[in-house]
Amino acid sequence: LLIRQNKMKEALENALEILHEAEKNNVVEEQLKAQIQIGWIYMELNQNNDALKWFFEGIELNRRERKLPEPSVMNSNIAAVYNSIGKNDSAAIYINRSIEQAINEQDLSFLCNAYYISSGICVESGRIAEAEELLKKGLEIRKKIGDAFYIVADLAELGRFYINANQ
């Protein structure tokens, strides 16, 4: 909620507090969630190196303690950061992993997000038709979920896509 309200300082303080408590109590799931949140905050602040640091620390924690596939959101966020810094090959690897995980987890929200990130990667690679299909696919899923905040954001994203494609 704090991130949606662009209250990044408060969001970071909150996430660091949650991380501290989770580490103190050795609650791995909460540690991982806090690391994802911290990475996301840094991603939103365009502090890409810090974002990647937190995401990869989360992946390492997950491998060491949970021994489960990392949450799809982790790979989506890594892909988004790599795409924003022009490392599209790395971005494609992580977003494909995220899509597969979201499908396996049946997590429609993260699947939709992954489609949007994948669309951006396709645009950067000149695959415009594929990018458009991913945006439409994501919007249809979002409509089924019914979160008005993200439906509006997705419509805006689709609109920007059409403007940039001169359509």
Side-chain angles (χ1 to χ4, degrees):
L1 183 61
L2 292 170
I3 295 171
R4 278 188 180 186
Q5 295 173 347
N6 203 30
K7 295 180 180 179
M8 298 304 176
K9 181 181 177 193
E10 294 91 337
L12 184 57
E13 289 170 358
N14 183 267
L16 287 168
E17 184 178 316
I18 291 169
L19 178 62
H20 175 72
E21 285 297 312
E23 288 173 340
K24 186 171 78 173
N25 296 316
N26 198 31
V27 182
V28 175
E29 289 292 325
E30 291 303 311
Q31 289 176 49
L32 185 59
K33 288 177 185 176
Q35 289 173 325
I36 292 168
Q37 289 295 313
I38 294 166
W40 182 26
I41 293 163
Y42 281 117
M43 187 173 74
E44 292 295 323
L45 294 170
N46 294 315
Q47 295 179 18
N48 296 319
N49 289 335
D50 289 326
L52 288 173
K53 171 189 162 286
W54 284 100
F55 295 142
F56 284 118
E57 282 183 18
I59 285 177
E60 180 55 35
L61 173 71
N62 185 68
R63 285 183 183 146
R64 188 178 61 248
E65 300 293 331
R66 290 178 72 228
K67 297 174 180 60
L68 297 169
E70 62 273 4
S72 64
V73 65
M74 187 81 77
N75 287 316
S76 285
N77 287 344
I78 292 169
V81 173
Y82 277 144
N83 190 47
S84 72
I85 61 176
K87 294 187 175 184
N88 295 349
D89 290 343
S90 295
I93 290 167
Y94 282 96
I95 203 59
N96 289 335
R97 188 179 299 163
S98 179
I99 289 169
E100 182 180 321
Q101 288 168 311
I103 290 169
N104 289 339
E105 296 166 6
Q106 298 181 348
D107 190 323
L108 295 180
S109 183
F110 288 128
L111 179 59
C112 186
N113 292 345
Y115 284 153
Y116 274 83
I117 294 165
S118 185
S119 174
I121 295 166
C122 288
V123 167
E124 294 297 320
S125 304
R127 300 182 337 257
I128 304 304
E130 186 179 347
E132 181 181 15
E133 286 308 309
L134 287 163
L135 289 172
K136 288 178 177 179
K137 209 171 178 178
L139 182 58
E140 288 308 309
I141 292 170
R142 197 77 80 187
K143 287 177 181 178
K144 290 177 185 174
I145 295 170
D147 185 334
F149 177 87
Y150 283 112
I151 292 170
V152 171
D154 291 351
L155 286 169
E157 186 66 28
L158 190 58
R160 276 191 293 279
F161 171 82
Y162 286 130
I163 288 169
N164 291 330
N166 294 320
Q167 295 182 20

